[in-house]
Amino acid sequence: MKYNFDAVIIGGGASGLMCAISAKSNNPKMKVAIIEKNDRVGKKLLSTGNGRCNLTNRNVSADKYVGSFAEFSSAVFEKYNASSLLEYFDALGLAAFCDSEGRYYPASKQASSVLDVLRFGCERLGVEIFCGQNIRSLTKTNNEFLIKTENDVFAGKKLALCCGSKAAPKLGGSASAADYLRNMGHRVVPFEPALCPVEVDSGILKSLKGLRAAGSATLLRNGKVIKKENGEIQFTDSSLSGICVFNLSVYAQKGDVISLDIINYISNKELFDRLKRNRELFGKLGADNIFTGILQKRLAQAVLKKSGITDFGVLTEALSDNQLKAITENAKNLEFTVRGKGGFDKAQSALGGVSGGELDAETMKSRIVDNLFVCGEAVDICGECGGYNLHFAFASGIIAGESL
C-alpha cells in the first residue's frame, strides 16, 4: 500500500517522536508520519537512566559534547536549554525534578512517563505511526522522498532521519542512518561506541574483577591530561567501567593511559604518613595488611603487585620507606593502557553520524539535500553521561520539527 505525507520521520525514538510533535504543533494541517522498525516506539528511551530517563541536565552547553557537530551546536542549546526543554515537556504533561548533580528526571522516576507523554502527544495531534516497518530502499526524486518497506511505500515531501546510531543493537541500534545519508551524498563519520566500558591492558586487572571503588579517573595522552572524572570505578576482567570511565570513553583512543586515584580524598603525603603508621600498627602481619582500614584487600594486593611486592608473606614492618613511597604513588596513580572500547552492545551512545558542517544548526536541515533533516544520534555529536545525549535528541527534534 502507498501512503502520501507532507513529512515522513524515520525513527520513533526520542528525537523522532519530538520532531513529529513539534511539526504538528507548528503546522496542524501538515500530514506527518513516523516509520519505526521495532514493534513499538521508544524502546530505547525506556532503558535510559536505568529505567528512570535522565532527560536533561541544568549544565547543558556545547562544551559537554564532542564530535564534528559540537562546534556548531551552540545554536541548538541557546534555543533549547534545560529550562526551555522542561517547559516544552511541561506543556506535554510531564513533571520533572532535579537531583543534586543537576540531572533532571520525570517526577514519577519512570522512563515510561516520558514515553507516554510523547506517544499521547503524537496521538492527540494526529501523527500517524507505523511500527514493524523494515525499510528496503530510500530514494529521492525532485519532489519527494520515497521509502519502500517490506509491505508498504511511503512518499514524503520532506524527510527527517531520526533513526539513531549503532549503540544498543538489542534495542534497535543500527547503522541505517549512515547508509541513507551516504547514499544521498552526505559525508558520514563512522560510528564507534561511546559511554561504554574501556578495555585496558594490565596484569593486575583480572584480580580485581567484580570490584567497585570510589576515586578519580584521569585520561592521559602522551602525558597530557585530556579529561578527569570523579566517581565509582568498576573493574571487569578486561575493562574499566562506571560512569566516570564512561565519560572518559567519549575521548579515549587506543594507546591512551587511564590513571586511577583510588584514595583521592587525601594527598600523597597524608597517605604516605598513614601507611607509615600502619606499618607500626600491623607490623607482625603480612604486607597486604598495609592498607587495613583504607582499601579492600584485593585492591591493596593489586597496588602492592604494581609496586613490585608479590610475596604477601613478607611482614608489614619489613617494608622500607622507599617501598611505601612506591605503594603510595601507585595507589594515587594506578595506570592502565587503553586498548579499545567495549562493543556497541555495551554502549549507551555512539560517536559518528552525519558530518557536522553539512547541517544547519539553526534548523537541523541538510546543506546537501533539499528538504532533508537529521536529528539525534544520526548526527556526529556525543555528550557525557547525565542527560546530555537525550537533551540533544529532544532539542534537535524540536528544532527540525519547527522547520519541516
Side-chain angles (χ1 to χ4, degrees):
M1 186 171 180
K2 184 175 181 180
Y3 300 90
N4 293 287
F5 292 93
D6 296 312
V8 175
I9 298 166
I10 299 179
S15 60
L17 291 167
M18 193 62 95
C19 180
I21 289 170
S22 174
K24 287 290 285 185
S25 297
N26 281 275
N27 188 352
K29 293 183 179 180
M30 177 181 285
K31 290 186 65 179
V32 177
I34 293 175
I35 301 174
E36 169 58 46
K37 70 178 180 180
N38 288 319
D39 57 357
R40 55 194 170 94
V41 296
K43 199 169 181 179
K44 186 176 179 181
L45 184 61
L46 290 175
S47 71
T48 60
N50 292 319
R52 295 187 301 156
C53 191
N54 178 195
L55 52 102
T56 185
N57 193 298
R58 69 182 173 209
N59 300 311
V60 161
S61 62
D63 62 5
K64 295 292 185 180
Y65 297 81
V66 297
S68 60
F69 188 73
E71 62 179 298
F72 309 104
S73 64
S74 292
V76 174
F77 306 124
E78 287 170 5
K79 192 167 187 179
Y80 286 100
N81 58 20
S83 295
S84 52
L85 181 61
L86 290 168
E87 288 174 7
Y88 206 96
F89 267 113
D90 185 66
L92 291 173
L94 185 78
F97 74 95
C98 185
D99 71 6
S100 60
E101 300 295 322
R103 299 172 294 209
Y104 283 93
Y105 295 90
S108 67
K109 298 183 181 179
Q110 293 183 318
S112 58
S113 295
V114 180
L115 179 55
D116 283 345
V117 299
L118 293 172
R119 286 194 305 108
F120 297 156
C122 286
E123 291 174 8
R124 187 171 58 251
L125 292 165
V127 175
E128 295 189 50
I129 298 176
F130 299 83
C131 292
Q133 296 285 340
N134 289 304
I135 296 174
R136 296 306 185 196
S137 67
L138 192 165
T139 56
K140 184 179 187 297
T141 65
N142 290 331
N143 299 315
E144 66 180 8
F145 295 89
L146 204 63
I147 304 105
K148 293 182 180 180
T149 67
E150 291 176 334
N151 301 309
D152 301 304
V153 177
F154 298 87
K157 297 173 184 176
K158 296 182 179 181
L159 178 68
L161 287 179
C162 307
C163 39
S165 70
K166 290 180 69 175
K170 291 181 180 179
L171 299 175
S174 74
S176 60
D179 295 335
Y180 303 146
L181 289 161
R182 198 177 289 111
N183 291 340
M184 287 188 281
H186 268 286
R187 286 185 296 122
V188 177
V189 178
F191 286 123
E192 65 175 88
L195 300 186
C196 60
V198 176
E199 296 176 348
V200 295
D201 286 325
S202 175
I204 65 171
L205 192 59
K206 287 188 177 181
S207 68
L208 299 175
K209 181 181 178 180
L211 287 184
R212 298 167 181 250
S216 301
T218 303
L219 182 70
L220 301 162
R221 185 170 303 145
N222 299 321
K224 180 182 178 181
V225 174
I226 303 298
K227 182 76 174 174
K228 182 177 181 179
E229 291 284 322
N230 297 317
E232 185 181 74
I233 301 146
Q234 300 174 20
F235 300 88
T236 76
D237 58 356
S238 62
S239 64
L240 301 176
S241 189
I243 290 178
C244 60
V245 175
F246 276 27
N247 282 339
L248 296 187
S249 75
V250 177
Y251 307 88
Q253 298 177 8
K254 186 176 181 180
D256 289 349
V257 170
I258 293 179
S259 173
L260 303 182
D261 182 350
I262 52 176
I263 312 177
N264 65 336
Y265 53 89
I266 56 177
S267 68
N268 285 50
K269 182 180 184 306
E270 289 171 318
L271 177 59
F272 178 69
D273 291 341
R274 184 176 285 271
L275 292 180
K276 284 176 65 177
R277 188 179 66 178
N278 278 7
R279 182 172 59 185
E280 297 177 9
L281 288 172
F282 312 116
K284 300 302 181 182
L285 300 175
D288 57 348
N289 289 285
I290 191 70
F291 280 107
T292 297
I294 305 173
L295 279 182
Q296 197 270 0
K297 181 61 72 73
R298 277 199 285 155
L299 267 175
Q301 291 174 343
V303 171
L304 290 176
K305 287 179 182 177
K306 195 77 171 178
S307 307
I309 300 166
T310 56
D311 182 2
F312 302 142
V314 171
L315 296 182
T316 298
E317 65 182 8
L319 296 174
S320 68
D321 281 0
N322 283 338
Q323 286 177 310
L324 291 188
K325 287 178 182 177
I327 293 168
T328 298
E329 177 61 27
N330 282 306
K332 301 285 289 179
N333 185 34
L334 197 58
E335 292 190 344
F336 300 84
T337 301
V338 175
R339 59 182 178 84
K341 299 181 185 180
F344 286 106
D345 59 326
K346 298 178 181 178
Q348 294 182 2
S349 189
L351 284 160
V354 65
S355 183
E358 296 185 352
L359 292 179
D360 178 359
E362 298 285 346
T363 62
M364 301 309 297
K365 187 176 182 179
S366 167
R367 298 183 187 276
I368 307 298
V369 181
D370 287 341
N371 294 321
L372 173 66
F373 299 77
V374 190
C375 313
E377 282 192 89
V379 181
D380 180 30
I381 186 170
C382 183
E384 300 174 6
C385 292
Y388 297 107
N389 287 302
L390 267 184
H391 180 101
F392 178 76
F394 292 133
S396 61
I398 295 172
I399 290 170
E402 291 170 342
S403 307
L404 278 174

